[in-house]
Amino acid sequence: MAGRAKVYVTGLGAVSCLGSSVEELWEALLCGSCGLRPLERFDLEGSPYSTAGQASGIEPVDFAGCGVSMGAQFAARAAREAVRDLPEESRDGLAVVLATNFGPSEALEALLDGESVATGQRRLRDGPFAWDVDHVGDEIGAGGERLNISLSCSSGNAALAHALELVRSKRADAVLAGGYDSIQKVVWAGLSCLRVMTAGKEGEGPRVQPFDRNRSGTLFSEGAGMLLLESAEHARARGTELLAELAGAGSNNNAHHMTRADEQGRAMAEVMAMALRDAGVGSETVGHVNAHGTGTKLNDAVESRALKKVLGSRAAEVPVTSLKGGLGHAMGAASALEAVASVLSLREGVIPPTVNYETPDPECDLDVVSGVPRQVDLETVLNNSAGIGGGNAAVVLRKVSLARQ
Amino acid sequence: MARTHGKMRPADARSAAGHVYVTGAGPVCALGLGVDAFASGFWGARARGQQLARRGGRRPRDAVRRVPDFDLSDYVESKRPYLDAHSRFAFAAVSLALASSSPVPRVAEPSRSGLALGTLFGNMASQEAFQRLVRQKGMRLASPMLFPHCYPNTTNSLLCIEFALRGYNQNFCGDSLCGARTLQAGHGAVRAGLADLMVVGGCDALTEPLLRALRQESAGPEAPALSEGAGFLVLENEHSVNQRDSTPICELASVVSGGTGVVGRAAGEHDEERIAGAVRSAIAGALAQAHLWEGDVGAVFIAVRHEGDDLVSRAGAQGRRGFSQLPTFHPNAVGRAFAATFPLQCTAAALLVNEGRLPRAPKLQRVEKGVELWVEQVPSSLLGDAALVLGWSAHSVVAAILKAV
């Protein structure tokens, strides 16, 4: 929109089951690799599911041993990567906006078990979620304001939405924003009973098959995705490379049902339209959609309906991908990792394939990128996400050459 | 509740373009439920607190102030027997806020009506119940009904469903400023045109494990009693005010946040000055955004920690020294209600600027020593028509200004 400050992505960080750096993640996504394996972190007795995406390339320490949640350790690792080129002297005003589903779940488990959870300087009255953001903020020497958001699986995009507003309104020149989560036992028990995971077919292991006719559910994973956002002035002053423009964002709620998607996809369509409106661009500019694409029967169909509402007659032409086939559903980290991939798609003009997409589904009659990466010259990417409770969040990313015009 | 200002005429509405009005308030706390009980308790508690202080009295260290028992069916029509205390408080508070905002206690356009909620601890009672179930019965018998109520955004989603809040949505769950963030998000969303109406506020409920853990931590002798509750406000733009026939209580003129520059634990004189500087800067920013000057502020409401002589408290007092001669309201009346504290203090501030005078004018002595400067005489009328609400931590500051319409 005219006159509004532009906000740029200038750094990326990633921890996932596909590796603990952006480079590893991107290479694996382009290769169509899958990071979902038997879960080994804890005893799975009683759970009908046993496949998940544990973060690789990082050895997290138990909460009891260090007083830092595993998720916060992932977030800190990704954060360090995202800000590695940001000089120390530029971090005084660096704000941190983190988002998560379950964040400090180990601390909450310990608390409810009656164990002492106050760790060093961090006291319970300051809020357990604040421990995570304080850990990350301290690790990267961020002196700006710090806050946490939790909007279930749309958390990552919701964090980007809030961070965008922080920079636009000049409350911060630079913000580290992203999402994170880790798989812990009680959380796993909860995810298991939601009945959204796939157990796989007879004789073969479970697979996530977004938008595929034979899709049968999702599989969860963990990690962190972080993006460093800067105002144009701040980025220009330090002469850093602009990776993409974060042009717009939206966040809303279905106001429909706690666990069941609104079959019409009304609010999901509205949130994508909100993000495009916020970016000041029309849907005709969208060259690629990085979809939520969980691989569950209903959600993929609903997302397809929502995309058709937003993209209109172009819905069947716009390349769509879901990373969850290989990356799994990284919960609070999911849409942040997908935003990282969206930035790389814009820069490199290539869209990673939707792993395990084999049979088109008439209910999901989109142009799903499959098999091999697709080369496309992209100007605008729409990154969509949704979560339990009906939360939706979307962001619009644009190529820098266009954004500068 | 006195309403000294009538409905906006069309001419007023046009001239007030871009303004954000507080049209409803729903306090639920130890003082009672609803604006009348809250106002009576707030000013009464203040007077009682002063009498106690004059006698050199101190509250018992383990004092806990609970929300009085209530029947949720008095506030919402739908049957919700499964809600935990956290959600019950929020449901009652949002219902009260919407009912007090307009003769038609529902939103006009769901997609233009949103919610921002803050919580430090989320739905702890549901988490505890779920965790106990998993420990006792194993993963296989974990409850699919209970787990969706354990997310930090559960209450947010339930409120959206109950009150048709399908528009802009955020859910903050960091430190005790997360209630303040909701005002900032709501104010920003309305001003940016993302929403016409925003319900904003915070909520936290005390559970026994939480209380046990909190009591283990030392608190200063001047710290407010541990408390719980919910505080929600309805924010509307002029379009919504006219559409819903709402009556503005006051204007939310600005909400400004910032970082303190402190990394790690605030530990020394240098950090004290950093925090004080951030408080001064946030106040200056809030005044500038509201197009006001210091003399327009008639009262100050402190919304977070006050623990006597610790560094962070001292720094905050230094930062607001320019207002030390004004009536200053610490959160003693509402207690340490975590995410609800800031919205509840804003509720009191809104009522105060709406009245234009102090409901009671007790003759104060200097009741506290040290850094908290109190005036010896409180005027019966406010010297300015705006109130400053201020919260800060070691890392972040939020300042809000409410002014008479």
Side-chain angles (χ1 to χ4, degrees):
Chain A
M1 292 192 183
R4 204 160 55 178
K6 288 189 182 297
V7 179
Y8 294 101
V9 180
T10 57
L12 300 172
V15 168
S16 74
C17 61
L18 292 175
S20 284
S21 70
V22 170
E23 191 181 342
E24 286 173 14
L25 170 70
W26 188 236
E27 192 181 328
L29 289 175
L30 293 181
C31 289
S33 304
C34 180
L36 302 164
R37 290 180 175 70
L39 179 57
E40 296 170 345
R41 183 164 296 146
F42 44 80
D43 176 15
L44 287 165
E45 187 184 344
S47 170
Y49 309 103
S50 59
T51 304
Q54 280 184 238
S56 69
I58 179 170
E59 293 295 332
V61 180
D62 278 348
F63 176 78
C66 66
V68 178
S69 77
M70 215 173 267
Q73 294 173 54
F74 298 153
R77 168 78 166 259
R80 283 194 293 271
E81 184 183 16
V83 303
R84 67 185 173 193
D85 295 329
L86 185 68
E88 295 289 327
E89 62 269 21
S90 296
R91 298 185 188 186
D92 262 7
L94 176 64
V96 184
V97 181
L98 294 191
T100 182
N101 275 11
F102 304 107
S105 59
E106 308 101 298
L108 294 172
E109 280 184 46
L111 167 72
L112 296 174
D113 281 344
E115 296 168 19
S116 173
V117 293
T119 58
Q121 62 178 278
R122 306 181 202 287
R123 298 185 310 166
L124 189 57
R125 66 187 62 215
D126 296 329
F129 286 86
W131 296 350
D132 285 356
V133 74
D134 281 346
H135 172 70
V136 173
D138 290 349
E139 282 283 305
I140 59 171
E145 62 181 299
R146 301 168 177 186
L147 57 104
N148 292 72
I149 283 169
S150 183
L151 271 177
S152 59
C153 300
S154 57
S155 286
N157 274 349
L160 290 172
H162 192 76
L164 176 63
E165 179 55 25
L166 280 179
V167 183
R168 274 182 182 162
S169 61
K170 303 192 187 306
R171 298 202 303 271
D173 290 325
V175 184
L176 175 84
Y180 69 98
D181 257 315
S182 73
I183 295 174
Q184 302 298 326
K185 189 168 183 177
V186 173
V187 167
W188 184 261
L191 296 171
S192 298
C193 70
L194 286 178
R195 304 274 191 265
V196 295
M197 279 196 264
T198 175
K201 293 176 191 157
E202 192 73 34
E204 62 179 61
R207 295 189 300 162
V208 184
Q209 295 184 274
F211 300 113
D212 190 283
R213 187 172 194 158
N214 298 315
R215 66 188 181 277
S216 55
T218 200
L219 291 169
F220 289 99
S221 64
E222 62 185 7
M226 294 289 152
L227 293 90
L228 177 61
L229 309 178
E230 291 183 72
S231 67
E233 298 75 21
H234 196 266
R236 202 173 293 127
R238 71 184 188 94
T240 192
E241 187 181 7
L242 309 179
L243 304 178
E245 182 196 357
L246 178 58
S251 172
N252 74 0
N253 191 286
N254 293 341
H256 174 70
H257 191 272
M258 268 307 286
T259 54
R260 193 173 169 79
D262 173 5
E263 294 197 16
Q264 297 310 309
R266 185 172 50 173
M268 187 184 273
E270 285 169 357
V271 86
M272 289 189 272
M274 188 191 286
L276 288 166
R277 207 165 42 244
D278 188 47
V281 297
S283 64
E284 72 282 358
T285 65
V286 176
H288 162 48
V289 177
N290 194 314
H292 191 55
T294 56
T296 57
K297 239 354 178 200
L298 180 61
N299 287 5
D300 288 2
V302 167
E303 188 170 16
S304 300
R305 267 172 231 141
L307 281 168
K308 285 182 207 167
K309 283 183 180 151
V310 175
L311 300 173
S313 59
R314 294 182 63 244
E317 301 163 12
V318 176
V320 174
T321 197
S322 165
L323 306 184
K324 292 185 175 68
L327 194 52
H329 190 331
M331 304 183 286
S335 54
L337 286 166
E338 288 149 11
V340 168
S342 298
V343 169
L344 295 170
S345 285
L346 275 170
R347 281 180 59 75
E348 300 193 8
V350 59
I351 301 169
T354 303
V355 174
N356 299 326
Y357 181 81
E358 294 160 352
T359 312
D361 181 354
E363 275 209 288
C364 307
D365 48 344
L366 305 167
D367 178 12
V368 180
V369 179
S370 61
V372 294
R374 188 182 301 178
Q375 306 285 334
V376 185
D377 188 20
L378 295 169
E379 296 172 359
T380 305
V381 175
L382 178 61
N383 180 27
N384 186 45
S385 63
I388 193 169
N392 305 294
V395 300
V396 174
L397 291 146
R398 303 200 77 201
K399 202 169 190 172
V400 170
S401 55
L402 273 184
R404 276 177 163 163
Q405 285 174 7
Chain B
M1 172 174 53
R3 291 283 175 87
T4 55
H5 304 281
K7 173 148 177 56
M8 287 197 303
R9 299 185 306 276
D12 294 330
R14 277 198 298 275
S15 67
H19 292 208
V20 180
Y21 299 100
V22 178
T23 58
V28 168
C29 64
L31 298 173
L33 281 73
V35 165
D36 291 341
F38 175 77
S40 161
F42 190 91
W43 310 119
R46 176 171 161 75
R48 285 194 300 278
Q50 284 150 6
Q51 287 160 12
L52 185 70
R54 273 201 292 276
R55 293 198 304 268
R58 289 280 184 271
R59 66 168 179 80
R61 283 290 296 278
D62 58 350
V64 178
R65 306 183 61 212
R66 311 301 293 252
V67 172
D69 198 21
F70 65 93
D71 185 347
L72 188 59
S73 65
D74 291 342
Y75 302 94
V76 291
E77 287 176 9
S78 61
K79 298 267 184 268
R80 301 276 188 179
Y82 48 83
L83 295 182
D84 64 13
H86 183 270
S87 291
R88 292 177 74 247
F89 295 167
F91 266 64
V94 172
S95 173
L96 283 162
L98 284 168
S100 69
S101 69
S102 162
V104 184
R106 63 179 66 91
V107 301
E109 294 178 54
S111 66
R112 298 284 303 161
S113 306
L115 173 71
L117 184 146
T119 177
L120 260 75
F121 302 109
N123 297 61
M124 290 289 277
S126 293
Q127 288 179 51
E128 188 186 352
F130 184 77
Q131 185 167 314
R132 198 183 314 117
L133 199 62
V134 172
R135 297 276 161 84
Q136 289 172 354
K137 299 191 173 180
M139 285 198 198
R140 192 172 291 279
L141 294 175
S143 166
M145 303 303 289
L146 194 51
F147 182 65
H149 288 258
C150 300
Y151 281 68
N153 64 316
T154 294
T155 299
N156 182 314
S157 299
L158 291 168
L159 290 170
C160 289
I161 295 165
E162 181 72 23
F163 298 101
L165 300 167
R166 212 173 72 220
Y168 191 79
N169 190 276
Q170 273 294 12
N171 197 70
F172 299 95
C173 52
D175 60 14
S176 54
L177 290 176
C178 60
R181 308 282 186 199
T182 69
L183 273 90
Q184 191 171 33
H187 185 257
V190 174
R191 277 172 58 116
L194 295 173
D196 293 328
L197 179 151
M198 286 292 295
V199 178
V200 299
C203 180
D204 270 306
L206 293 170
T207 63
E208 282 311 312
L210 185 55
L211 265 175
R212 274 197 304 275
L214 285 166
R215 280 172 172 152
Q216 288 169 9
E217 300 181 359
S218 62
E222 303 297 337
L226 286 175
S227 187
E228 61 182 1
F232 281 87
L233 299 167
V234 178
L235 309 181
E236 294 183 74
N237 63 14
E238 60 176 296
H239 169 76
S240 184
V241 164
N242 288 329
Q243 193 177 30
R244 297 180 68 238
D245 199 23
S246 310
T247 307
I249 303 170
C250 66
E251 181 188 346
L252 179 60
S254 61
V255 191
V256 168
S257 64
T260 62
V262 172
V263 177
R265 186 181 190 178
E269 205 172 296
H270 187 58
D271 287 332
E272 186 173 328
E273 181 43 41
R274 277 174 176 252
I275 297 169
V279 170
R280 279 192 291 274
S281 175
I283 294 171
L287 286 168
Q289 192 183 82
H291 303 295
L292 297 175
W293 69 291
E294 286 184 10
D296 292 319
V297 176
V300 179
F301 289 75
I302 305 301
V304 286
R305 57 192 298 161
H306 170 57
E307 297 179 359
D309 199 31
D310 76 16
L311 184 150
V312 179
S313 298
R314 255 193 341 261
Q318 271 186 34
R320 64 173 197 280
R321 186 161 276 170
F323 299 90
S324 61
Q325 295 304 307
L326 293 178
T328 302
F329 300 86
H330 292 271
N332 299 334
V334 299
R336 184 191 294 272
F338 302 98
T341 308
F342 199 102
L344 288 170
Q345 290 289 86
C346 282
T347 300
L351 300 176
L352 191 68
V353 298
N354 179 267
E355 291 276 356
R357 61 186 176 81
L358 289 165
R360 295 185 182 194
K363 289 181 181 176
L364 284 179
Q365 303 300 311
R366 185 175 292 276
V367 294
E368 292 183 38
K369 294 176 182 173
V371 293
E372 300 297 344
L373 303 176
W374 288 60
V375 291
E376 295 187 0
Q377 294 289 326
V378 174
S380 59
S381 299
L382 282 183
L383 295 175
D385 66 356
L388 167 69
V389 187
L390 192 60
W392 68 93
S393 68
H395 302 293
S396 306
V397 183
V398 181
I401 290 183
L402 298 100
K403 72 172 192 176
V405 177

